[in-house]
Amino acid sequence: MATLQNHQPPAFFIRGPSPFTRLSFFAAISIALMAVDARLHYLTEVRQGFAALLHPLEVVAHAPMAAYDQTRDFITRQSILTQENRELHQRNLLQSAELQRFHTMQAENEHLRKLLGAVQASHQPAKLAEIVHTGRDPFTHKVIVNLGSQQGIMAGQAAMDEYGVIGQVTQAYPFSSEVTLVTDKDLAIPIQIERNGLRAIAFGSGHDNAIDLPYLPMNVDIREGDKLVTSGIDGIYPSGLAVAKVARIERNADSPFAHIICTPTAGIENHRQVLLLAMATMPAIPDETRKPPTPRSRHASRRP
Amino acid sequence: MRPVGLKDIYFSLIVAFTLYLLPWAGFGLMLRPDFVLLVLLYWLLRAPQLCNVGTAWTLGILVDLASGGLFGQYALAYAFTAFVALTYQRRLVLFNEWQQAGYILLLLLQTQLTLLILKLFAGSDLPGWSYFLPSASGVLLWQLVVYSRVRVTGIKDS
């Protein structure tokens, strides 16, 4: 250390603490911050506050893009518009026919459910949000949308487009919220194979725009081209939404699990608009199952 | 060379931060140089009495907030890079343009490596080689600045 000191310039000028002292001080703070953020999740409110402060700067940064979009919208050629209009009309006709069938079937379904005494399938209202920009971190697959907690968005809501699930809201800031895409490594969705009803959990693979189905045995009944839909048992995603399609199955002899790779159905990187579904209200759980088992009953169940 | 005030430094840093906030996507996001770090390095090397490890750390915290990642990772990486930059700051007078560019490239790569290590600890996947593209584009941007005659050391080549 003494030899190091000799290389320092003489203290003619007031320079404050040496860079090394400063580095140690700030490094200690940032390591503490990282630990607190990763393990204890205390900083969510702090971050939301700062995000609200950063919002004006973000608006400024987005202004050129927004202006460009507006002018482009304005000068879109009329022929394109009429063509698009015709296509939309056709689709509307087709869909309205299907919708009518859907209505009658829904009524029928409700009637049957009533007959069965089953819980009513919950109706989830949705909000249309627009993607503002993709996440700034190249390691994660996230997008930022323009609705936030001021508009009633909460962390945990499901996000979808017209083809299927695209992800889940993971953080709601005051004026925007962060949607983690299904291809992100940290997102898991409970799914069901549409063909045979097999339940599993799908994880984002984190790269190549793919979804993995891990922990399924080698002899599992899954074929290439199978459709994965949400199973709806988590209370977040309504059941029956398309999630992905099985693209490739690798069965290696050295692993007890099959390696199943799926491609997401939704246009994850294509659209500007997403639908944010409100959280499903969990159906009422019957009282006797919700009550914690009393010691006596547990005792009784253990010894039949 | 005009003496620099704190106002210049803060203004340029805010501009760089706004550039960072622009909605980058796709290929642009992959290539996007780290504007904030480049401006920071410029001021660290030119006016170390005004811009120090603390400034780098504060900017890092802001970038952390904007990126929505783990809190404190950019702060640590920037502070560490600022320290290294300051350690060799006095030798910079002896460097020519290309040596200077190499020095900047090393600093940019070092920041990205620090970030990569921190993210691997936090459980991220190993990214591809394109992860280091921003360093290359950053040095290109730096060379543009050099050619536009804004010298870091203020000494013209003979």
Side-chain angles (χ1 to χ4, degrees):
Chain A
M1 204 61 205
T3 49
L4 259 182
Q5 290 295 320
N6 290 341
H7 289 291
Q8 297 289 324
F12 289 130
F13 310 105
I14 303 161
R15 279 177 163 268
S18 77
F20 186 73
T21 324
R22 292 182 203 221
L23 174 69
S24 337
F25 175 67
F26 285 117
I29 296 185
S30 30
I31 288 171
L33 275 176
M34 271 189 275
V36 168
D37 193 29
R39 297 270 163 251
L40 305 170
H41 306 287
Y42 280 157
L43 291 171
T44 320
E45 283 91 21
V46 179
R47 187 179 284 189
Q48 281 175 356
F50 274 105
L53 285 183
L54 277 184
H55 190 250
L57 209 57
E58 283 194 327
V59 170
V60 172
H62 287 279
M65 251 338 239
Y68 170 72
D69 276 351
Q70 262 178 9
T71 39
R72 204 186 49 185
D73 283 353
F74 189 70
I75 56 177
T76 308
R77 287 220 310 278
Q78 203 205 351
S79 58
I80 298 175
L81 278 180
T82 44
Q83 192 196 340
E84 199 176 283
N85 205 352
R86 206 179 307 130
E87 277 173 16
L88 284 176
H89 262 300
Q90 282 173 0
R91 225 162 90 186
N92 196 8
L93 262 174
L94 284 174
Q95 282 180 346
S96 63
E98 282 193 358
L99 193 67
Q100 279 175 19
R101 247 187 30 227
F102 172 73
H103 276 311
T104 50
M105 274 166 82
Q106 199 178 27
E108 196 181 304
N109 194 3
E110 240 165 68
H111 181 66
L112 287 173
R113 272 175 184 279
K114 257 184 214 155
L115 284 181
L116 282 170
V119 268
Q120 296 287 312
S122 58
H123 175 67
Q124 291 177 298
K127 279 198 172 115
L128 187 69
E130 195 159 303
I131 294 175
V132 186
H133 60 84
T134 52
R136 299 196 175 90
D137 188 353
F139 283 84
T140 55
H141 296 241
K142 287 174 180 169
V143 291
I144 311 294
V145 297
N146 65 347
L147 295 184
S149 54
Q150 292 292 315
Q151 283 86 20
I153 304 297
M154 283 182 299
Q157 284 183 254
M160 60 176 293
D161 69 359
E162 67 228 81
Y163 302 113
V165 178
I166 73 161
Q168 190 180 11
V169 177
T170 40
Q171 273 196 38
Y173 301 117
F175 304 104
S176 59
S177 41
E178 176 194 275
V179 174
T180 303
L181 301 175
V182 279
T183 45
D184 191 88
K185 204 167 148 273
D186 290 336
L187 199 75
I189 301 182
I191 54 103
Q192 223 170 1
I193 309 289
E194 201 181 43
R195 184 168 53 83
N196 55 7
L198 177 86
R199 279 194 306 274
I201 296 179
F203 290 83
S205 71
H207 49 84
D208 298 339
N209 198 16
I211 296 176
D212 284 343
L213 273 183
Y215 318 127
L216 286 175
M218 290 268 273
N219 59 352
V220 69
D221 180 19
I222 291 182
R223 294 178 211 148
E224 284 178 17
D226 272 354
K227 277 184 187 158
L228 312 182
V229 297
T230 50
S231 62
I233 49 176
D234 52 353
I236 290 172
Y237 304 99
S239 57
L241 296 179
V243 176
K245 213 171 179 182
V246 177
R248 212 165 67 238
I249 304 173
E250 289 166 13
R251 294 190 163 97
N252 294 330
D254 57 349
S255 152
F257 301 117
H259 189 201
I260 302 166
I261 298 155
C262 319
T263 45
T265 318
I268 282 182
E269 283 164 1
N270 304 345
H271 301 297
R272 292 295 306 264
Q273 275 93 13
V274 294
L275 270 182
L276 301 180
L277 302 180
M279 302 274 260
T281 42
M282 285 300 275
I285 301 166
D287 273 348
E288 55 262 40
T289 50
R290 196 164 40 186
K291 248 188 254 164
T294 53
R296 231 179 64 200
S297 70
R298 224 189 310 172
H299 186 73
S301 71
R302 206 177 293 157
R303 225 185 271 162
Chain B
M1 215 155 114
R2 199 169 66 84
V4 265
L6 272 178
K7 230 188 272 173
D8 302 321
I9 295 181
Y10 289 143
F11 179 71
S12 58
L13 282 174
I14 287 174
V15 169
F17 189 63
T18 317
L19 279 178
Y20 172 77
L21 287 180
L22 283 179
W24 298 86
F27 195 60
L29 184 67
M30 225 164 77
L31 265 184
R32 178 191 64 188
D34 197 339
F35 298 107
V36 180
L37 185 63
L38 281 170
V39 174
L40 255 178
L41 283 177
Y42 178 79
W43 290 121
L44 279 168
L45 298 178
R46 182 170 159 181
Q49 73 279 12
L50 296 177
C51 183
N52 215 312
V53 179
T55 324
W57 185 82
T58 317
L59 259 295
I61 281 287
L62 282 178
V63 172
D64 271 327
L65 279 170
S67 74
L70 193 60
F71 213 59
Q73 50 187 2
Y74 273 93
L76 183 57
Y78 281 8
F80 188 45
T81 306
F83 168 72
V84 177
L86 285 175
T87 315
Y88 296 103
Q89 184 255 336
R90 265 178 277 273
R91 290 179 207 179
L92 211 66
V93 194
L94 305 172
F95 287 1
N96 66 24
E97 280 170 8
W98 292 104
Q99 283 169 325
Q100 228 178 62
Y103 183 53
I104 295 297
L105 178 65
L106 281 182
L107 286 174
L108 292 176
L109 282 176
Q110 184 224 322
T111 315
Q112 287 208 294
L113 262 181
T114 320
L115 278 173
L116 181 64
I117 291 168
L118 288 175
K119 285 186 192 204
L120 287 183
F121 269 122
S124 290
D125 263 348
L126 206 61
W129 281 109
S130 61
Y131 172 68
F132 289 104
L133 273 179
S135 287
S137 60
V139 161
L140 284 180
L141 196 66
W142 181 273
Q143 280 308 91
L144 279 183
V145 174
V146 168
Y147 283 125
S148 62
R149 302 275 151 195
V150 194
R151 285 291 143 73
V152 177
T153 49
I155 296 169
K156 292 238 170 183
D157 288 342
S158 51

